[in-house]
Amino acid sequence: MRYPMRFWSRRSLRRIAFDRRLSRLVFVAAVFLLAFLRLRPSTSTPNPLSPPSKHARVTFRPSAFDWTTVSQRHPVKLVHSLPTDAPKPSRQVQHQFSDYTHDATSKKRQEAVRMAFFRCWNSYKKHAWLRDELAPVSGEGKTTFGGWAATLVDALDTLWIMGLHDDFYLAASAAAQIDWANTTETSANVFETTIRHLGGLLSAYDLSGEAALLQKATELGNMLYMAFDTPNRLPGFWLDFEDAKQGRQLAGTSDPSASPTSLSLEFTRLSQLTGDAKFYDAVSRVTDFLERTQNSSKLPGIWPKLINFREESVAEESGFTLGALADSLYEYLPKMDALLGGLYPRYEKMHRVAMDVVVENLLYRPMLPDTDPSDILFAGDVYAHPKSIDRNPEGQHLSCFTGGMFALGGRLFDIPKHVAIGERLARGCAWAYDAFPTGVMPEIFGVVPCDSIDKRCSWDEKLWDKEGDLRLRKGLSNARDCRYILRPEAIESIFILYRITGKEDLRDIAWRMFESIMRSTETELANSAIADVTVTGPTKKLDSMESFWLAETLKYFYLIFSPPDLISLDDYVLNTEAHPFRRPK
Ligand SMILES: *[C@@H]1O[C@H](CO)[C@@H](O)[C@H](O)[C@H]1NC(C)=O
Ligand SMILES: *[C@@H]1O[C@H](CO)[C@@H](O)[C@H](O)[C@H]1NC(C)=O
């Protein structure tokens, strides 16, 4: 059965037909304008929430292959449907910024971020248009995620938010023409394609209202939906196109726990926007699985970093973390509550149970000299053995998102203690930025931990001599992976904490981080991942700029210096690639 078109309102269908010719004109005009005139973005204050035109300007072109023509080997009766009740009145997430003024300093900082974005975007346009990534040193294009213009799709909503509307329409027109069947790959990474491409298209639609973007998202959703066609309806890590067509897919036996479990926001938003419950039904079954298994791991209450989804067992793996492999599993629990209007209590329940275990076992406070602030936290890893728990006091850039997660959950579910923990985690990552000569935090580093997170432990020089790395700042025991690859998680948490607490010093912290990142990563064309944040001289550039630099890192920097009603956390919930989805009212 073809996917029914009835979900496109008649009005938008007519609008699409009417505007086909018009939008071609607009497109050509935009190209001319861009080619000959626009070297800089307009300097007038952008007002991204009022779109410049009410008419559809983007034309949809269908892909060569229609995945709804492939029948499911393991079809389901839809058992989960979206809530029809009015959303619960939600607690206010953001701080009451009643006397906010957008002062000269914030304007200057906001504009500096916008210019940094625009420079990278222009280089992408010039050197890597429609490619997945720009190589920011050599100026080549790279294919890293199927060849479906990952950077372009990921950057759409940032273009909109920054008020770069001409470029938004140029990019959106290209995005609406992407052919998911045109790839040299034989499979797609389900998680990455969902958070980057599907998430990017959905938020670009949520912001602009361009129907073609929702059509393109639905087409991709139909392709990714095929990944759920396994005997137990849990998706594998890869969507192998041929296996999917032949109906021979299986869930993975040792997959990252975050991968099948953090598709929920994107699939839910797709159901909300199209009215087709099948996407939400698919991810709800993964949530059922999480609920069933929460207490049967080696550290009951949380899930390990690798899961046997085929046997539906979480009992084999001993490693637990909030960082790499597991991160967004946890991030999506409170965010799903927000997106579903608080109508399904299970997300809150799982979040509370898990966070109690996290506070008890995974957080640690570093031992630091008296001159350092001590009230900071990091989230580390643990290995659970039958009779003991091994703690690994390592900080990862990836786990810096936890500050924002604790704070957001604390606000949504009225747990003030968690807002405070979130702030300490966010400030921990900010401290780690300052602790390195470049002013940037590495991928992975270790500290010497205190016994308790509740009180300061006194500095022990002997212990540090023994366990520390004397080449690094006092308190640090290693910088095991000293790259910085333009990741967003630290500024993400600083941004969320700023919006939740209103504390102005967080903006100064953000500015310091931004200046340090720019200083150490800038290339002639754009910004690049660097090899080593511990150097004092020039940094070695790794010629890589992943799409999250434009989708997330620069978006969070821009938003923290913007008036707080721009993408208010009371109106939007952001997916793990920083794509804002509108919350139901
Ligand atoms: C397929 O994609 C490539 C870019 O990745 C593009 O150059 C080519 O024109 C596309 N082919 C079709 C048939 O759309
Ligand atoms: C897991 O255990 C916690 C308490 O230890 C309990 O509150 C919760 O209901 C349990 N979850 C399930 C799904 O049984």
Side-chain angles (χ1 to χ4, degrees), residues 237-290:
F237 188 77
W238 296 102
L239 168 65
D240 182 294
F241 304 128
E242 208 43 47
D243 284 352
K245 285 175 187 168
Q246 303 297 328
R248 54 178 187 222
Q249 300 180 94
L250 297 167
T253 52
S254 184
D255 278 352
S257 55
S259 150
T261 58
S262 27
L263 317 169
S264 49
L265 282 174
E266 297 79 4
F267 276 64
T268 300
R269 190 69 191 129
L270 186 56
S271 275
Q272 287 175 338
L273 289 171
T274 60
D276 185 344
K278 76 176 184 187
F279 303 109
Y280 173 67
D281 175 78
V283 287
S284 284
R285 292 162 196 269
V286 185
T287 310
D288 295 347
F289 163 81
L290 285 178

Side-chain angles (χ1 to χ4, degrees), residues 290-295 300-301 349-350 353:
L290 285 178
E291 219 173 8
R292 261 194 324 271
T293 54
Q294 180 161 24
N295 290 339
K349 185 155 181 243
M350 281 189 278
V353 171

